Amino acid sequence: MTDFPEAVDRRGTNSVKWAVQDDELPMTIADMDFKTSPAIIQAMQAKLNLGAFGYEDIPDEYFNAVADWYEHQHGCRPKTDWMIFTTGVVPAISSAVRRLTSLGDNVLVQAPVYNIFYNSIVNSGRHVLSSDLVYDAENHTYSIDWDDLEQKLANPLTNLMILCNPHNPLGIIWSRDQLIRLAKLCRQYHVTIFSDEIHGDFTFNETGYVPMFSLPDELIQNVEVAVSPSKTFNVAALHAATVIVPNANLRAQVSRGLNSEELAEPNLLAIPATIAAYEKGQEWLQQVLAYIQENRELVTNFVRDQLADSVTVVPGEATYLMWLDVSRLTDDSAKLAAFIREKTGLILSAGSIYGGDGNHFLRINVACSTKLVLSGMDRFARGIEEWQQK
Ligand SMILES: Cc1ncc(COP(=O)(O)O)c(C=O)c1O
């Protein structure tokens, strides 16, 4: 087993995930325990050594680095003049909700989905309209109910859809055909698509994911894509992301929103760190992917071998998050998660926070050392056993 990447002890470091009791093990919030790429650390150190931190522009080099990365990692080069820097994917989503829809409109999502989408919608006085993904309990797969989706997109109050591509928490990689079908429907019903592609670099299939901006021109005129090094390189606290908007009118609207809400100003490390990540981080990412793949297999095998009668791993192809079907144990995953935490110290995310059928599922984050994954599995098995005995 590889000993790279290096996991660091994040207790007492202001880490949100690690603000837990000494004996607790958090496998929750979507960041990694790994030290980021040395190239990124060096670039940030060089900036700090300069010692002058006045107002900054975003250089062409930044946008070129984003474009180069998508070209060599994902086989499609977005135009640099489609891009706008922003301080995070969630701020960009919230701004899109405010700018591209009106009070009382519907924003469509596909539950179960990243819970903060709901905050971005509801906090701006819009309605969440979900076209729930449909679970096949025999094959443990999810699919889109296209009739339901079309009916909800056709609703005149639905003006924006937030797509999670690839999907958190299910780990689904949407195919090009699915994205084309979706884009055609959204075009037909005048619905803008916000495609959150923050997990796009964490794919474990042969071909990777399909960036929405790689679809034919006529299908991306109502599309805003958000990408970021934050998950890929474990730099969430940098608050750096890029939105990619091919249509000039839509881009102007998005840009006005981000600028007027002061969401387009980089902090002093965002630019050098992102450039270093995208220009020099490829090899590091390969190592991380291989490591996480092993952790994913470890969890899959453990659950299959030790917990086959009570838990099933829903096979996913993307992200370092795994979706565990606990429907044979409970229809209240929050209660089960609280029980496991109390009895074993293992903290998992209750699927219920993601909406849809999430009350039958738990989410586990495996972006940590294999040692911790093993400890997590040991605690998980104990927690489940006690739950069954109670
Ligand atoms: C799908 C998705 N989008 C956005 C974010 C957060 O993005 P940011 O930190 O850039 O606001 C996360 C973090 O978990 C996520 O899973």
Side-chain angles (χ1 to χ4, degrees), residues 298-310:
L298 195 157
V299 170
T300 304
N301 295 342
F302 183 94
V303 170
R304 189 195 54 217
D305 297 344
Q306 312 284 330
L307 298 169
D309 60 345
S310 52

Side-chain angles (χ1 to χ4, degrees), residues 3 5-9 33-35 291 368-369:
D3 61 358
E6 186 188 346
V8 289
D9 181 1
D33 289 346
F34 308 130
K35 209 176 216 181
Y291 194 96
C368 57
S369 73

Side-chain angles (χ1 to χ4, degrees), residues 110 131-134 142-147 149 174 178 182:
Q110 297 170 294
S131 180
D132 288 0
L133 295 167
V134 182
Y142 279 88
S143 58
I144 296 174
D145 177 343
W146 289 99
D147 290 338
L149 179 67
W174 303 113
Q178 286 172 316
L182 179 68

Side-chain angles (χ1 to χ4, degrees), residues 300-333:
T300 304
N301 295 342
F302 183 94
V303 170
R304 189 195 54 217
D305 297 344
Q306 312 284 330
L307 298 169
D309 60 345
S310 52
V311 182
T312 311
V313 173
V314 177
E317 292 191 309
T319 81
Y320 46 73
L321 309 161
M322 298 176 74
W323 192 238
L324 308 174
D325 179 342
V326 291
S327 58
R328 279 171 288 168
L329 298 171
T330 186
D331 57 9
D332 185 350
S333 56

Side-chain angles (χ1 to χ4, degrees), residues 30 87-91 93 114 117 164 168 196 198-199 228 230-231 236 241:
T87 52
V89 174
V90 168
I93 293 172
Y114 177 51
F117 287 178
C164 202
N168 168 16
D196 176 342
I198 199 167
H199 292 281
S228 169
S230 81
K231 301 287 166 209

